[in-house]
Amino acid sequence: MLARTFRYFEGALYLLKSVLTDRQFLYLSCVIVGVSSALAVIVLKTFAHSVHKFASNIDSYLKLPYLNSILPIVGILLTVFIIRKFLDGSIEKGTSQIMIAVAKKSGIMPRKQMYAQILTSSLTVGMGGSAGLESPITITGAAFGSNFAQNYRLNYKDRTLLLACGVAAGIAAAFNAPIAGVLFAIEVILADMSVTAFIPIMISSATGAIISNVILKEDILLSFKNQLNFTYDNIFYYVLLGVFTGLFAVYHARMFRRVEHKMANAKLKPYRKALVGASILGILIFLFPTLFGEGYDSIKALADNKAGNILENSLIENFKKNQWIVLLFVTATVLIKSVATGLTLGSGGNGGNFAPSLFVGSYLGFILSKFISLIGLKELPINNFTIVGMAGVLSGLFHAPLTAIFLIAEITGGYGLLLPLLIVSSISFAICKRFEKYSMDIIGIADKGIVFTSDKDKNLLNRIELQNIIKNDVETISDSANIYEVKRIFSETHQTFIPVLNADKNIVGIIYLDAVRKFIFSGFQIKFTNYKDVIQAAPTCSITENTGNVIKEMDENKNIHMLLTRENKYLGYVDKTTILEVYRENLKNLRIE
């Protein structure tokens, strides 16, 4: 019955596509992608919230604090099982996968990403893994947009735009923050776009927020009802918070990468790795219960100045009225959060760093304001600093200050904190940009030129695949040949160079016509020319190299050709003229409009 309904719906869309203009069908597609992404968010959020509530209730009634330590182990083991048995043994994590799809795969994402992220992240985070659901949500939304466009044979521009629409709708639905959804898609996913591209993204984002707002219960969303106001005499402390969150964001990014890398590269079988990593995580959650899951409940507790609540079910629960003990406990928790998230993802779980960045930021805001208040320097509004701190870390980690500012403004229900949000987010971003050139999700691939960066020329060049423009129309010569064979090739062809290869097809060097022209056609001089003396070092690179790097090397060494290899074997060559012709074509055709 469901399959039949889907076929009818699909047939209706094909009919509408034939009737509507391209732009009208794109707007309709934005709505459908927005609804799909919002429904994925609802499934993920509801499951995660239900499991967290179940564990909390069991702990409260039966006084079994170790349950929170067992559930993450089960969740990560189940995640590894699902990946190995049903998802071909691998799953792509992080928003970097979306950017790779945009930069290198013409906006095409695997179909399995429409359900794989929901299955795995709901098990990992829903059962207590110390990560967030927003990264899987954005990948799912992007996959919905990409595959919808593929199914209805939309072009690259519209496919990439619908991919971004899915991302925007996912963020909007997760936080009931449509403006933040739009800005996240623009700041993080799309490197270049025109003003007209805003409209489809806004449609999807608004659709996602509406669906989420209608269906999801308010206590599941991260939101704050209290009206928050800003006073100018606290500006110095907000500047201090900006510095504090910026420096800590650098620590969090580096510590997370270190732990995740060591865990992921541990020489253990998948299930054993999952068991070891999850067990360490379980111990940390036993000691610091708020590391369980996304941790949004503890953020709300801090913002309401009820920090003592986060000590519940911990070993020091009896000290929750001692403000200094609470402050030390919060400080220890925020330092351990980076390790916990690294263990969660490195041991085989699936999730992201969006929620951890909000978690860490809120804790830092609380720590700073509470410490200043406790030492009697000034009575600061703890709820304001707790909330603004989230924007600081989010801005620094993801290099997305606008997203951070408007996300916090939207979830607080107003713009009373707009000025401190601007101050803290900009300072944190500047500090992180100084120490971390790229955001934490793409740092591993940005240096390789795989994803879009602020260098638009390099972005367009890196879209060009060397394997698509390789040429193989020149004669090669053996390293055991002679000078007369060189003369024959240059006499009978229009070649300006000859690759020199050995018996294994490895490149030995290159012979340029300009270098031998003076004597190669002289019957007297050629007799006294040693064949080996005319062979020069050849400019070579792997066929998998990024085209931007190839052009850079050509410019530096004043080469117009580059010999291409695979596993050191000669394949062919590329020339600068062809690369620049394709670049100019991309410049005309690949701007999202």
Side-chain angles (χ1 to χ4, degrees):
M1 182 65 181
L2 185 61
R4 182 183 300 175
T5 302
F6 178 77
R7 284 196 299 271
Y8 286 147
F9 179 71
E10 190 175 37
L13 285 178
Y14 274 114
L15 178 62
L16 287 171
K17 187 175 186 293
S18 65
V19 174
L20 300 174
T21 65
D22 290 344
R23 200 65 183 176
Q24 289 170 340
F25 185 74
L26 180 62
Y27 290 154
L28 175 62
S29 303
C30 294
V31 174
I32 295 171
V33 170
V35 171
S36 302
S37 299
L39 292 176
V41 170
I42 290 167
V43 171
L44 277 170
K45 287 286 187 179
T46 302
F47 180 82
H49 181 76
S50 299
V51 173
H52 184 272
K53 191 173 181 180
F54 168 76
S56 299
N57 289 338
I58 293 296
D59 289 346
S60 298
Y61 289 118
L62 301 181
K63 298 298 181 184
L64 296 175
Y66 53 80
L67 180 65
N68 277 7
S69 299
I70 296 174
L71 285 177
I73 300 174
V74 176
I76 292 175
L77 286 171
L78 286 175
T79 300
V80 173
F81 173 79
I82 293 293
I83 291 172
R84 290 179 61 80
K85 295 297 182 182
F86 302 104
L87 299 175
D88 303 323
S90 65
I91 187 171
E92 293 77 17
K93 304 174 186 178
T95 54
S96 58
Q97 302 307 315
I98 307 173
M99 302 180 74
I100 291 173
V102 173
K104 303 293 284 184
K105 300 179 181 179
S106 299
I108 294 175
M109 295 191 70
R111 187 174 295 272
K112 75 174 184 179
Q113 292 286 38
M114 293 192 292
Y115 57 86
Q117 298 291 332
I118 297 175
L119 285 174
T120 54
S121 63
S122 63
L123 289 171
T124 298
V125 183
M127 299 188 75
S130 195
L133 294 171
E134 286 73 26
S135 180
I137 283 170
T138 58
I139 296 175
T140 302
F144 279 137
S146 173
N147 283 275
F148 182 93
Q150 292 175 59
N151 192 50
Y152 293 97
R153 297 178 176 84
L154 302 185
N155 59 30
Y156 167 79
K157 295 177 183 178
D158 291 342
R159 186 165 58 246
T160 304
L161 189 53
L162 285 180
L163 179 150
C165 287
V167 171
I171 292 296
F175 294 101
N176 191 22
I179 297 176
V182 173
L183 292 173
F184 184 83
I186 294 169
E187 276 192 301
V188 179
I189 305 302
L190 298 181
D192 189 21
M193 62 180 294
S194 66
V195 174
T196 54
F198 273 86
I199 299 174
I201 295 177
M202 287 190 293
I203 292 173
S204 279
S205 187
T207 301
I210 291 170
I211 297 296
S212 173
N213 196 41
V214 169
I215 299 177
L216 272 182
K217 295 179 181 179
E218 188 173 344
D219 60 337
I220 296 179
L221 297 171
L222 181 63
S223 61
F224 304 89
K225 288 184 176 181
N226 297 333
Q227 186 67 34
L228 304 171
N229 297 308
F230 164 68
T231 55
Y232 288 91
D233 56 343
N234 291 329
I235 286 181
F236 170 76
Y237 298 101
Y238 284 115
V239 171
L240 192 60
L241 180 60
V243 175
F244 193 27
T245 54
L247 293 174
F248 200 91
V250 174
Y251 159 80
H252 177 82
R254 295 180 178 180
M255 178 60 73
F256 164 78
R257 287 199 303 270
R258 187 177 296 116
V259 174
E260 184 195 30
H261 180 77
K262 287 186 177 180
M263 196 68 236
N265 291 287
K267 296 180 180 180
L268 298 171
K269 293 183 178 179
Y271 289 112
R272 183 171 295 179
K273 182 190 298 183
L275 184 60
V276 171
S279 297
I280 299 172
L281 174 65
I283 294 171
L284 294 179
I285 291 175
F286 177 78
L287 297 173
F288 305 96
T290 56
L291 295 176
F292 185 92
E294 293 178 296
Y296 285 162
D297 285 346
S298 66
I299 294 176
K300 293 177 181 179
L302 292 181
D304 291 337
N305 203 12
K306 298 177 181 177
N309 291 351
I310 70 172
L311 270 66
E312 291 180 358
N313 298 318
S314 71
L315 297 177
I316 57 173
E317 182 177 3
N318 294 333
F319 296 92
K320 64 182 182 180
K321 292 185 179 180
N322 186 315
Q323 296 188 61
W324 281 105
I325 296 293
V326 171
L327 182 61
L328 290 172
F329 186 81
V330 171
T331 303
T333 303
V334 78
L335 290 170
I336 296 297
K337 180 65 175 181
S338 311
V339 177
T341 305
L343 287 169
T344 300
L345 303 188
S347 61
N350 188 22
N353 264 292
F354 203 99
S357 70
L358 299 179
F359 180 99
V360 169
S362 66
Y363 275 52
L364 292 175
F366 172 85
I367 291 167
L368 178 64
S369 57
K370 192 68 174 178
F371 178 76
I372 297 296
S373 299
L374 285 177
I375 63 175
L377 188 60
K378 184 176 177 59
E379 193 66 31
L380 296 176
I382 290 175
N383 54 350
N384 285 13
F385 277 77
T386 299
I387 290 170
V388 173
M390 291 192 286
V393 176
L394 180 62
S395 171
L397 283 180
F398 289 92
H399 291 193
L402 290 177
T403 299
I405 292 166
F406 284 93
L407 173 66
I408 304 306
E410 287 186 283
I411 65 177
T412 55
Y415 291 85
L417 294 178
L418 186 57
L419 186 56
L421 286 172
L422 288 167
I423 293 171
V424 173
S425 295
S426 59
I427 292 174
S428 177
F429 171 72
I431 290 173
C432 284
K433 192 72 173 177
R434 168 65 179 81
F435 292 102
E436 297 282 339
K437 185 177 180 181
Y438 300 110
S439 68
M440 70 177 304
D441 263 11
I442 68 167
I443 191 171
I445 54 179
D447 282 328
K448 301 175 183 177
I450 295 177
V451 300
F452 283 164
T453 67
S454 57
D455 187 342
K456 296 179 182 179
D457 286 335
K458 190 173 182 180
N459 295 336
L460 288 171
L461 286 170
N462 285 336
R463 282 197 51 79
I464 303 170
E465 298 284 352
L466 292 179
Q467 61 186 5
N468 294 333
I469 58 173
I470 187 174
K471 295 182 178 181
N472 203 4
D473 56 1
V474 298
E475 282 192 50
T476 61
I477 194 171
S478 168
D479 62 343
S480 61
N482 56 58
I483 194 68
Y484 292 98
E485 182 65 12
V486 175
K487 178 180 179 180
R488 181 195 68 77
I489 294 175
F490 282 139
S491 300
E492 297 178 359
T493 70
H494 296 289
Q495 290 180 214
T496 59
F497 67 94
I498 307 173
V500 182
L501 312 179
N502 63 18
D504 296 324
K505 300 299 182 182
N506 295 323
I507 297 173
V508 174
I510 192 170
I511 301 173
Y512 291 106
L513 175 59
D514 288 344
V516 300
R517 191 191 303 273
K518 292 180 180 179
F519 53 81
I520 195 74
F521 299 112
S522 168
F524 174 75
Q525 290 184 339
I526 195 172
K527 293 179 181 179
F528 300 97
T529 302
N530 189 327
Y531 170 60
K532 302 291 185 181
D533 292 340
V534 301
I535 301 175
Q536 301 181 35
T540 64
C541 73
S542 169
I543 195 169
T544 59
E545 184 60 81
N546 290 299
T547 307
N549 295 338
V550 173
I551 281 288
K552 182 179 178 182
E553 187 173 339
M554 284 181 167
D555 288 340
E556 290 176 350
N557 298 308
K558 295 180 172 55
N559 296 319
I560 60 173
H561 302 96
M562 183 71 72
L563 305 187
L564 301 181
T565 64
R566 178 181 285 121
E567 297 179 353
N568 297 321
K569 305 289 185 182
Y570 171 76
L571 296 176
Y573 73 96
V574 291
D575 59 70
K576 183 183 287 188
T577 302
T578 302
I579 293 175
L580 293 179
E581 285 176 355
V582 177
Y583 165 82
R584 284 192 290 270
E585 192 66 23
N586 285 351
L587 193 62
K588 290 190 298 182
N589 297 332
L590 296 184
R591 182 176 174 83
I592 299 173
E593 298 177 347

